[in-house]
Amino acid sequence: MLNEFKDFIAKGNVMDMAVGIIIGAAFTAIVGSLVADIINPIIGLFMGGVDFAGLEASVGEATFTYGNFIMAVINFLIIAFVVFMLVKAVNKAKGPEPVVEAAPAGPTQEELLAEILAALKK
C-alpha cells in the first residue's frame, strides 16, 4: 500500500495540482486585497461612500452581512476574468492546433471476405 501511495504522489498530475492549489491560494489573497483595498473604495466614491463590507440587514436576532457576499462575487468575477485571460494567452502562445490527416481507410469487411474466398478457391 505504501508503494502504491508513492506511485500516486510521484505522478505528474498530482504535483501539478498541488502547485496549482498553492499558487491559487496566493493569487486569491492578492485578488482579495485588490478588491478590498482598491476596487471597493473606488466603487464607494461613485456610490457616495458606500462600504460593501459594512452592508448588512437585521431581521430579529439574525444579521445578514450581504456586503461580504457582494465582495465575494466581485472577487470571483475578477479571478474568473484573470483565469480566462491566462488560458487565452496560453492558447495563443501554443499556436494553431496541428491538422491531423485521417488515416487511409482499410478494406471493408466484405472486401476482406471476398479476398479470403478468392484465396480459398485457389
Side-chain angles (χ1 to χ4, degrees):
M1 190 165 162
L2 185 59
N3 287 333
E4 288 180 44
F5 181 70
K6 286 180 188 177
D7 291 341
F8 172 75
I9 292 299
K11 287 184 180 176
N13 293 343
V14 174
M15 297 308 289
D16 292 344
M17 182 180 68
V19 169
I21 290 171
I22 293 167
I23 290 176
F27 185 69
T28 299
I30 291 169
V31 171
S33 175
L34 173 71
V35 170
D37 301 329
I38 296 174
I39 293 177
N40 283 346
I42 291 171
I43 292 173
L45 286 174
F46 293 109
M47 296 184 67
V50 174
D51 178 21
F52 286 123
L55 296 178
E56 60 183 37
S58 296
V59 178
E61 296 288 321
T63 301
F64 300 94
T65 55
Y66 63 91
N68 291 335
F69 175 74
I70 292 172
M71 288 178 60
V73 170
I74 293 170
N75 284 346
F76 169 77
L77 291 174
I78 291 171
I79 292 171
F81 179 72
V82 170
V83 169
F84 168 74
M85 295 304 289
L86 286 173
V87 169
K88 190 172 178 171
V90 167
N91 287 340
K92 187 176 181 180
K94 283 183 181 178
E97 292 287 327
V99 177
V100 178
E101 295 183 22
T108 64
Q109 186 175 2
E110 290 80 14
E111 292 170 340
L112 288 174
L113 291 173
E115 287 179 25
I116 293 170
L117 182 60
L120 289 174
K121 285 183 180 180
K122 288 182 181 180

